[in-house]
Amino acid sequence: LAALRDTAIWQRVNNKDIPSPYPPIAQLGGMLGAALTPHGPLGMKLVSLAGDVMVIGALCLLLRRVGAPADRVLIYAWHPLTALELAHSGHNDSLMVAPLVLALALVAVPTGFVSGLTSSPTQHMSSWRRWAAALLVGVAVLAKITPLLLLPLLPRRLGLLPVAAACLLIAGAWTPLLLLGGGNAGSIVVYLGSWQDNDSVHAVLRELGGARFAKIVTLVLLAAGVMAMAAHRALRDRPLWWQAYAVLGLSIALASTVHAWYLT
């Protein structure tokens, strides 16, 4: 790959000793950005912006399906954070958020509807929506690994077979990259295990008991939060979009590294 290095970009690449931790769809987004503008960042910004436009469309569908005012989409669409971190800075998080929000929109129901059901929520949802939502979550994971946290929430809402298919999609698409990527999985472990920047709860725990103590406690708290969301009756009956929002918010609160674009 040495032939790909140039004087304009290579010298500015940080962490040169760590292979890219990005999953396949994020890699494809990078390839598309490079194809659009081989010697500058504009192409990646356009890819990120395209993903952001899809997020806005998915949010419009989500708002309509839950019976919320459509103009609430402006809270996201006009927010300076998304404009700066996606269209301006070209971060690839929109490639994860777009399929994830679309998945949540496809299976969304008005608030309070799920809690009033006496049978499994999967019986009140068309089969194609459940399968499409599960596979879209798989696509989101293939853009960035964070939605893996949502997998324990999905079988009850989407059914075991669609979720199993999503897991096969993730494994089938990612395994070749893990085998050929020169340490792709290891770099994820390094990132999750030793990097720390702009952390909150993790920083307090680190000051109290050290880095290892902070990592163990935050991982236990995160796992407990996900399990509570999946098993506790008052939480498991909330809409899936609400559960996803809560779990991803908890992950940010407990994370050892929190860059501004994560908040999108």
Side-chain angles (χ1 to χ4, degrees), residues 115-264:
S115 60
L117 299 180
T118 57
S119 56
S120 171
T122 62
Q123 297 180 12
H124 299 264
M125 190 182 303
S126 60
S127 176
W128 78 266
R129 288 185 183 275
R130 293 188 286 109
W131 278 88
L135 294 175
L136 281 168
V137 172
V139 170
V141 172
L142 291 174
K144 211 164 187 180
I145 65 170
T146 311
L148 281 174
L149 292 171
L150 305 179
L151 287 182
L153 309 178
L154 301 183
R156 182 172 180 268
R157 296 296 172 85
L158 307 182
L160 285 175
L161 281 180
V163 176
C167 292
L168 287 175
L169 171 65
I170 295 168
W174 208 344
T175 298
L177 190 63
L178 296 177
L179 295 176
L180 301 173
N184 178 282
S187 61
I188 295 175
V189 173
V190 170
Y191 166 77
L192 294 175
S194 61
W195 287 16
Q196 51 199 33
D197 180 48
N198 200 33
D199 42 346
S200 53
V201 175
H202 181 272
V204 175
L205 293 171
R206 176 160 41 85
E207 291 298 320
L208 293 175
R212 183 178 178 83
F213 170 78
K215 181 58 63 176
I216 291 174
V217 172
T218 51
L219 287 176
V220 169
L221 290 174
L222 182 58
V226 173
M227 290 300 102
M229 195 68 66
H232 191 279
R233 184 174 182 82
L235 296 175
R236 75 184 186 192
D237 287 343
R238 297 300 297 266
L240 186 57
W241 58 263
W242 186 95
Q243 292 180 316
Y245 185 87
V247 167
L248 296 180
L250 180 64
S251 73
I252 289 174
L254 296 174
S256 56
T257 301
V258 183
H259 296 305
W261 51 94
Y262 291 3
L263 300 179
T264 58

Side-chain angles (χ1 to χ4, degrees), residues 21-54:
Y22 290 121
I25 288 179
Q27 299 278 9
L28 291 174
M31 290 175 64
L32 177 58
L36 292 172
T37 58
H39 302 292
L42 177 61
M44 193 61 220
K45 295 180 181 182
L46 293 174
V47 171
S48 182
L49 174 60
D52 196 29
V53 171
M54 288 189 283

